[in-house]
């Protein structure tokens, strides 16, 4: 669970003109929740990177709103993990997403970027 802060608003993030929870902030929260759910299964040399997000932002929220994220792994295929994510403010569904992440070796991933 997290509280919506001013830094998360559409106005600050540039995705809109109102001081409400911005879609980029909600996407980041969803991606963070998916990433964190995998940590117990990874070695210290491993992490995951997001490769896709299909998301619907269904309801506006004000600064101070408490947002609960429900994370469900729907498929594991090799190094790919798929998720279904639901974000709620109280009983109201704020957003829904399908997200995919890939398992990578931290050092190899960064080395590849530096050497390309």
């Amino acid at each position: 669970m997290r509280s919506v802060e001013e830094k998360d608003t559409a106005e600050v993030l540039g995705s809109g003109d109102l001081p409400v929870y911005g879609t980029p902030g909600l996407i980041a929260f969803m991606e963070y929740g998916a990433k964190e759910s995998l940590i117990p299964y990874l070695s210290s040399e491993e992490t995951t990177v997001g490769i896709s997000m299909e998301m619907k932002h269904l309801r506006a929220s004000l600064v101070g709103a408490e947002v609960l994220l429900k994370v469900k792994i729907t498929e594991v295929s090799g190094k790919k993990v798929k998720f279904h994510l639901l974000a709620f403010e109280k009983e109201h569904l704020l957003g829904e997403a399908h997200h995919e992440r890939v398992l990578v070796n931290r050092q190899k991933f960064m080395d590849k970027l530096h050497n390309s």
Side-chain angles (χ1 to χ4, degrees), residues 21-66:
Y21 198 12
T23 301
L26 181 55
I27 289 171
F29 179 47
M30 290 176 149
E31 195 161 4
Y32 172 80
K35 173 190 73 84
E36 289 293 298
S37 74
L38 295 174
I39 288 176
Y41 308 103
L42 304 177
S43 72
S44 61
E45 294 87 28
E46 297 173 314
T47 190
T48 60
V49 294
I51 62 168
S52 71
M53 173 77 74
E54 180 185 332
M55 188 267 220
K56 293 180 183 178
H57 193 164
L58 303 168
R59 185 181 174 98
S61 297
L62 296 170
V63 170
E66 294 291 326

Side-chain angles (χ1 to χ4, degrees), residues 104-116:
V104 298
N105 175 283
R106 292 171 184 271
Q107 190 62 51
K108 288 180 183 177
F109 186 86
M110 295 307 295
D111 287 348
K112 185 176 178 182
L113 287 174
H114 287 296
N115 295 323
S116 60

Side-chain angles (χ1 to χ4, degrees), residues 81-105:
V81 183
K82 293 182 180 181
F83 298 86
H84 183 230
L85 306 163
L86 297 171
F88 293 89
E89 180 186 356
K90 299 180 183 168
E91 71 279 357
H92 303 291
L93 181 62
L94 298 181
E96 178 176 15
H98 295 280
H99 177 49
E100 190 170 356
R101 302 188 69 77
V102 174
L103 175 71
V104 298
N105 175 283

